[in-house]
Amino acid sequence: MEFSLFTQRLKQLVQEHEAVISRPNEVDPGWSNGLFERYRYPVVTAAHTPLTWRYDLNPQTNPYFIERMGVNGTFNPGAIELEGKICLVVRVEGYDRKSFFAIAESNTGIDSFRFWDYPIRMPETDNPDINIYDMRLTKHEDGWIYGVFCTERKDPNAPYYDMSSAIAQAGIARTRDLKTWERLPDLKTPSPQQRNVVLHPELVEGKYAFYTRPQDTFIEAGSGGGIGWGLCDDITQAVIEHETIIDERNYHTIKESKNGAGATPIKTSKGWLHIAHGVRGTAAGLRYVLYAFLCDLAHPERVTHRPAGYLLAPQGEERVGDVSNVVFCNGAVSRANGQLFIYFGSSDTRIHVVTTTVDKMLDYVINTPPDGMRSAACVAQRIDLIDKNMKLEK
C-alpha cells in the first residue's frame, strides 16, 4: 500500500473510532417499566478498543494495513467510581479466545468510555492462568481495592486428547489505583471448583467474607450451586473452611441450572442489595437473566427479601452474540446522589448500562412478591393484585 493510501486509511480509522467513543447515549424511549432506564446504545464494544491494540501503525512492517490482533468482544465488566469517574474493568477477548482486563473510563457513566493506553498486566501465580475473566471490584474497608475474578486452567487429570476439560477457581488481586496490581494466592474452598466469587466490602466478625458459587465441574453446578457464604482469616492466604448456601437453586425457576453472585453488594439503609444472575435451560440452550435480593445489614449472610422472577432479561440485540440469550452483571456503581448504574454484558459480546436509584431498587426488592413456587400460588398472587386494582376503580 502506498504511503499516502496508508495515511488516508489511518485517518479514516481514527475518525471512525472517535465517532464511536464520542457518540452521545440516550434513554431508549421504547422501554419503560418504572424501575430502570435502558439506553439506546451499548456503552463499550470491541470498536471502542484503541487502534494501537489492533493494528501495527508502521507502514514499513504493515504495508497492507492488516489488523494484526483483533478484538472479538468486550463484556462482563467490574465497575467502580474513582476520583469522580466511572471505571470499568472490562473483559476484553481477542480473536485468539484469550481474555484480559483493561480499564475503560467515563465522566458520565453512560457514554464516552475511553480505554486507558494499556491493558492490565495481571501478575500470575506459580500455576499460570490460561484465561482470566469477569472481575468483581470491591472497595474494602481495609483500604484496598480488591479484584476477584475467574482463573481458568486446563484440567491436569483430563486425557491428553481432551481439550475442553477445565478447572475454574477464584483469583484475587488488589490495588489502590487500578494501575499497579498485587496478585494474591487463589481462594481455597471445600468445593472442587469456584466461579462468580465476590468479596464483601466489610469485615464480618473480624474476618474477610466471600460470596461463593461452588460447583462440581467447570460448566455444571452438579451437587453444588447456589450463592454461598464463607469467612476467612487472612486475605493474603484466603482459605474458606466452611461454605453455607444462602441463595439456593430451585426447580422450575430462573435459577434452576445455576446462579451466582454478580456485583459487589451495595450497602443501603434497608440492607445489602445484591444483583445476581440466574440460569435455566431452554430448548434453545441456557438462558441467563439478572435478579435481585436483599440481605440483613448486621447479618449479611441472611437473605431478607427475594422478589420473584428476573430483574432484567436480554432484549433485542442483547440476545445475539457469541453466547446468545445471555445478560451477565458483575459490576454496579452506587453514587452519592442515590443514582445506581448497573453494568452488564450481553451475549458475551458488548457492555450495556441501565440506570435507576437505590430507593427504587429497595422498593422493588421489598414490595415485589416472592416466588410462589407453584402455578396455583402464583395465580393467587396475581389475582390479589387484580382485586386490589379493581377496588381502586370503584
Side-chain angles (χ1 to χ4, degrees), residues 3-274:
F3 182 76
S4 60
L5 292 176
F6 190 99
T7 304
Q8 184 178 357
R9 172 65 175 147
L10 175 57
K11 182 179 179 181
Q12 177 186 348
L13 285 175
V14 169
Q15 290 175 342
E16 292 172 353
H17 183 251
E18 190 61 31
V20 168
I21 293 175
S22 60
R23 177 180 61 189
N25 215 343
E26 56 189 29
V27 172
D28 182 355
W31 166 265
S32 176
N33 71 346
L35 176 56
F36 57 78
E37 293 179 319
R38 269 186 154 95
Y39 286 80
R40 186 180 294 275
Y41 306 114
V43 295
V44 180
T45 68
H48 282 72
T49 57
L51 298 176
T52 53
W53 295 11
R54 296 180 272 142
Y55 291 89
D56 178 353
L57 302 180
N58 186 338
Q60 301 300 318
T61 52
N62 190 18
Y64 299 107
F65 215 119
I66 295 171
E67 187 179 42
R68 296 296 191 201
M69 301 184 71
V71 171
N72 185 59
T74 53
F75 50 107
N76 298 5
I80 196 169
E81 185 173 14
L82 203 60
E83 298 179 354
K85 299 181 184 294
I86 302 298
C87 293
L88 303 181
V89 177
V90 178
R91 175 181 177 178
V92 182
E93 183 183 88
Y95 283 2
D96 58 8
R97 201 186 167 193
K98 307 303 183 295
S99 293
F100 57 89
F101 298 125
I103 308 293
E105 177 186 291
S106 166
N107 290 323
T108 69
I110 61 169
D111 54 21
S112 302
F113 275 96
R114 193 176 296 271
F115 279 95
W116 291 2
D117 289 341
Y118 292 92
I120 294 172
R121 190 186 291 270
M122 181 60 66
E124 295 180 311
T125 64
D126 293 339
N127 183 12
D129 321 276
I130 298 300
N131 205 29
I132 53 176
Y133 48 90
D134 298 355
M135 180 183 288
R136 278 78 168 174
L137 289 170
T138 298
K139 277 186 185 178
H140 201 275
E141 69 169 334
D142 72 1
W144 286 95
I145 299 170
Y146 289 91
V148 182
F149 52 91
C150 184
T151 169
E152 177 186 332
R153 303 173 178 95
K154 189 177 185 300
D155 186 349
N157 297 317
Y160 74 92
Y161 53 81
D162 181 355
M163 297 300 168
S164 62
S165 294
I167 293 177
Q169 296 296 343
I172 306 173
R174 63 184 180 183
T175 181
R176 297 193 189 273
D177 56 10
L178 302 183
K179 297 175 182 177
T180 303
W181 293 80
E182 176 189 1
R183 183 74 181 264
L184 303 176
D186 296 346
L187 176 67
K188 295 181 180 179
T189 74
S191 302
Q193 300 205 32
Q194 286 284 355
R195 295 175 90 171
N196 305 308
V197 174
V198 177
L199 176 65
H200 190 70
E202 296 181 357
L203 296 172
V204 176
E205 301 173 3
K207 301 176 185 290
Y208 289 88
F210 287 89
Y211 303 92
T212 64
R213 206 278 293 285
Q215 55 191 82
D216 290 347
T217 69
F218 182 69
I219 299 296
E220 302 296 334
S223 62
I227 296 175
W229 170 263
L231 302 176
C232 78
D233 296 318
D234 182 3
I235 192 72
T236 65
Q237 298 288 333
V239 178
I240 293 175
E241 300 289 350
H242 303 286
E243 288 177 277
T244 302
I245 300 300
I246 65 171
D247 188 55
E248 69 281 355
R249 296 186 295 148
N250 290 107
Y251 169 72
H252 209 82
T253 64
I254 60 165
K255 51 183 181 176
E256 69 180 13
S257 293
K258 49 190 173 182
N259 59 317
T264 301
I266 298 158
K267 192 174 188 178
T268 77
S269 60
K270 304 291 186 181
W272 291 98
L273 175 63
H274 288 257

Side-chain angles (χ1 to χ4, degrees), residues 308-323:
Y310 59 73
L311 169 71
L312 184 148
Q315 300 271 338
E317 74 165 351
E318 298 164 5
R319 299 186 63 187
V320 180
D322 270 10
V323 184

